[in-house]
Amino acid sequence: VKEGPVDDAATEFPRINDAYTGRKHRYGYAGEDGGDLFGAYRKFDLEKGAVTRHPLGDGRFGGEAVFVARDGGTAEDDGWLLTFVYDK
């Protein structure tokens, strides 16, 4: 186990592919803090130390997301981040 910051941005509700719970994992996902809802999500590549930001677009806000693996997928990040999005 290793503990430490992965990003300076304010994020909430970090998730991983649940199939990797309790095991070494490479990817993590979190909602970018924008108040009550999230206007973007971040994907963390913990091996490379890279962060990819995925904005929802103007006037769109999402809630807590979960990772859903693609049926038959073999890679840890082969799937979708699933949430409800409010389009203002």
Side-chain angles (χ1 to χ4, degrees):
V1 174
K2 183 176 172 182
E3 184 178 329
V6 294
D7 196 357
D8 288 339
T11 60
E12 292 188 39
F13 300 111
R15 297 298 298 243
I16 63 170
N17 178 336
D18 287 339
Y20 287 78
T21 299
R23 300 178 9 201
K24 182 177 173 124
H25 56 277
R26 177 174 177 176
Y27 300 103
Y29 310 89
E32 191 174 291
D33 193 8
D36 293 335
L37 298 169
F38 307 118
Y41 294 87
R42 289 178 178 249
K43 177 181 179 182
F44 301 100
D45 182 331
L46 303 172
E47 259 182 34
K48 292 184 177 181
V51 179
T52 307
R53 186 173 183 265
H54 299 277
L56 297 178
D58 291 338
R60 295 185 182 139
F61 304 94
E64 182 178 356
V66 296
F67 182 84
V68 178
R70 182 178 65 86
D71 251 0
T74 56
E76 176 186 342
D77 64 339
D78 191 357
W80 301 269
L81 206 54
L82 184 66
T83 187
F84 289 99
V85 174
Y86 167 65
D87 188 345
K88 199 172 179 183

